[in-house]
Amino acid sequence: MMADRRVVVACLIGLSCFWAPFGVAAQPPGPAAALATAMAGNHRLPENVLRDRYRNPLKTLQFLELQPHHTVVEIWPAAGWYTEVLAPVLREHGVLYAAHFSPVAGSEFRREYRRFFESKIQARPDVYGSVRVTTLSPPEAVSIAPPGSADRVYTFRNVHNWMKSGTEDAVFQAMYDALRPGGLLGVVEHRAPPGRSRAGMVRSGYVTEQYVVEVAQRAGFQFLEGAEINANPRDRKRYPNGVWSLPPALRGGDENRREYLQIGESDRMTLKFLKPFGNGE
């Protein structure tokens, strides 16, 4: 009898996920279930799924407190690796702004990424219906979403690029401006050992946690906490081609390829920041 009752309760719980009484709005799914469904979707490229073990999207986005009803800005999504996970979660109840490269960027590399990304989301409106493409081309084009509209802003492995062009302060300010008070910024970045010089960070692609925190605080953010979700203790962080020696870039070709594949992708910091409430808010 007790076993029968457990079966009935389980069935009722399952039905409650798909049915709501007349006149009662359906509730968005919980974040863990929504993320798991997105990660298992057939829209994801197989080569992207293989990188889950390095990028840990489920744990990362749970740490960064993603909810299906949020308005989110993803910074420089490139080919859309994280977009494949974020967009399905947000499609029904949220909004995803993809702050991409400029369609008229001086680099053909960046223009091609923008074209590929737009084609990708246009091909699957059933998956990417929540995505609104904007442009981030600092320091000129930095309006990535309506001011104060975003619940979350996420950037994955981009800070070193802004440092190379000297625009990191402009981008962090743009991210701050897009967030509502109480909103969160999540940063994942290749992690340099403490004390590495700015020139060394730009050259290697690895950035110190201290510097990321300093840039965020200059924009007005409050540092909340970091996590070791994307840590890789095998990463030595000194290679002929910097972080690009490791997969997925493998810029050195066949030289030391087996070693670099065994190391895997880079050691990464995962940091969370708050846009604080101001006086009277």
Side-chain angles (χ1 to χ4, degrees):
M1 179 67 72
M2 184 61 68
D4 292 341
R5 288 178 180 176
R6 284 198 294 265
V7 171
V8 171
V9 170
C11 291
L12 289 173
I13 291 173
L15 286 171
S16 69
C17 296
F18 300 98
W19 176 86
F22 291 110
V24 178
Q27 296 300 308
L35 283 166
T37 299
M39 290 175 61
N42 64 8
H43 65 286
R44 299 190 68 202
L45 297 176
E47 58 267 30
N48 288 348
V49 174
L50 290 175
R51 297 170 73 182
D52 286 353
R53 62 178 176 145
Y54 299 119
R55 298 190 168 185
N56 305 294
L58 177 60
K59 291 182 179 179
T60 298
L61 293 172
Q62 286 180 319
F63 173 72
L64 298 177
E65 302 183 38
L66 175 69
Q67 296 285 341
H69 65 275
H70 278 161
T71 294
V72 176
V73 184
E74 183 187 1
I75 305 296
W76 276 7
W81 194 96
Y82 251 103
T83 312
E84 289 183 358
V85 179
L86 290 167
V89 173
L90 300 167
R91 189 188 182 285
E92 293 296 329
H93 303 280
V95 175
L96 177 60
Y97 287 96
H100 216 294
F101 304 132
S102 170
V104 293
S107 163
E108 172 60 25
F109 173 80
R110 291 185 174 180
R111 295 197 302 272
E112 181 59 31
Y113 261 128
R114 170 80 179 234
R115 289 193 292 268
F116 176 86
F117 183 83
E118 290 183 333
S119 297
K120 179 175 184 170
I121 64 172
Q122 289 166 5
R124 291 293 302 267
D126 58 314
V127 174
Y128 300 108
S130 71
V131 179
R132 305 176 186 178
V133 182
T134 60
T135 295
L136 174 63
S137 183
E140 297 85 8
V142 291
S143 180
I144 57 179
S149 65
D151 299 288
R152 303 286 183 265
V153 175
Y154 298 144
T155 175
F156 304 100
R157 307 170 317 282
N158 285 314
V159 178
H160 60 283
N161 293 309
W162 305 324
M163 292 177 66
K164 185 176 182 179
S165 59
T167 57
E168 65 266 34
D169 284 302
V171 175
F172 272 79
Q173 189 62 59
M175 296 190 292
Y176 185 90
D177 292 343
L179 278 167
R180 61 169 177 79
L184 299 180
L185 167 66
V187 179
V188 177
E189 179 58 273
H190 313 296
R191 178 165 48 190
R196 183 167 291 186
S197 68
R198 179 187 175 85
M201 288 189 272
V202 170
R203 183 172 57 252
S204 69
Y206 291 94
V207 183
T208 65
E209 286 194 24
Q210 179 182 355
Y211 188 69
V212 174
V213 172
E214 288 176 0
V215 177
Q217 289 176 336
R218 287 201 296 265
F221 286 106
Q222 174 186 338
F223 176 60
L224 293 180
E225 59 179 324
E228 293 300 294
I229 296 164
N230 296 297
N232 181 358
R234 297 185 299 274
D235 183 3
R236 293 185 281 105
K237 307 181 183 184
R238 290 192 179 278
Y239 310 103
N241 294 291
V243 72
W244 302 280
S245 294
L246 298 179
L250 295 168
R251 191 170 289 179
D254 290 334
E255 185 175 357
N256 298 318
R257 183 184 183 92
R258 180 177 296 180
E259 175 193 352
Y260 296 152
L261 287 172
Q262 289 176 344
I263 292 171
E265 296 193 14
S266 67
D267 175 54
R268 293 162 186 167
M269 66 185 89
T270 306
L271 307 179
K272 182 163 56 179
F273 300 88
L274 171 73
K275 178 176 180 175
F277 289 92
N279 293 333
E281 293 182 296

